[in-house]
Amino acid sequence: MLKEVSDHFEVLTLVHQTIDNMIEGLSQDQWLYRPNGTFNNIASIIDHTARVEKKFISAISGEPLDIDTQAPFKESQWDVPTIQKAWVDTLPYTRDVLERLTESDLDKPGLSLRVGELNRRQLIVFTISHTTHHRGQIPLVMKLFQG
């Protein structure tokens, strides 16, 4: 893996580990708890984050997947085991894609997002930023279900 990419993957791995530590041992009810009946629950946050990572990393691979990243926020029921598996599968998928990148790949187009056109190098950084953002939502939901 390229040094720059390896450094970014290490940061993403650390963010994943902190999320894993937060959600470890949560019950199904805690995964599904929706503060005020309308806020995002942990299931929707993790589902969304896994979908976004998969979508962004697939674009970095050059084989973009059409993934509805907003679907988890429109759901009224969530399949927690499926979401947990998708979350666990994101980091190995990311590693596999990033290991194959060349220096010239990093300057190729990544995705057009609300922030603008990102090349693949920028999309790696944006992926980390997005996951980190949603990582911050988890303790807020947990505080509300813990009283």
Side-chain angles (χ1 to χ4, degrees):
M1 191 180 299
L2 298 169
K3 172 72 169 119
E4 171 187 2
V5 175
S6 176
D7 286 347
H8 291 315
F9 182 70
E10 185 177 335
V11 172
L12 183 62
T13 300
L14 293 171
V15 173
H16 268 251
Q17 288 172 347
T18 64
I19 292 171
D20 292 343
N21 289 341
M22 283 189 277
I23 62 177
E24 182 180 1
L26 293 181
S27 69
Q28 175 105 355
D29 287 344
Q30 289 170 321
W31 272 81
L32 298 175
Y33 176 76
R34 292 184 76 186
N36 295 335
T38 59
F39 291 174
N40 296 332
N41 57 21
I42 291 174
S44 63
I45 294 167
I46 296 295
D47 190 8
H48 168 74
T49 304
R51 287 171 185 245
V52 169
E53 280 193 28
K54 184 96 179 216
K55 180 174 183 151
F56 288 2
I57 299 303
S58 72
I60 292 166
S61 78
E63 299 175 11
L65 299 171
D66 185 21
I67 298 172
D68 183 357
T69 61
Q70 296 304 305
F73 301 131
K74 300 172 195 168
E75 293 293 329
S76 59
Q77 295 184 13
W78 297 266
D79 181 349
V80 173
T82 299
I83 293 167
Q84 290 169 326
K85 179 170 180 358
W87 174 248
V88 168
D89 291 346
T90 58
L91 215 48
Y93 172 72
T94 299
R95 178 185 294 114
D96 182 57
V97 169
L98 297 183
E99 283 177 341
R100 293 181 276 137
L101 292 177
T102 65
E103 188 68 37
S104 64
D105 289 333
L106 295 176
D107 293 321
K108 291 180 182 175
L111 278 177
S112 177
L113 301 172
R114 286 183 237 161
V115 296
E117 298 286 331
L118 300 181
N119 66 30
R120 294 176 188 184
R121 172 183 281 109
Q122 294 165 327
L123 192 51
I124 294 169
V125 173
F126 198 79
T127 301
I128 297 165
S129 299
H130 179 270
T131 299
T132 302
H133 163 75
H134 286 290
R135 180 220 175 271
Q137 293 178 329
I138 296 167
L140 299 175
V141 174
M142 290 175 71
K143 281 182 182 183
L144 294 171
F145 70 62
Q146 292 169 347

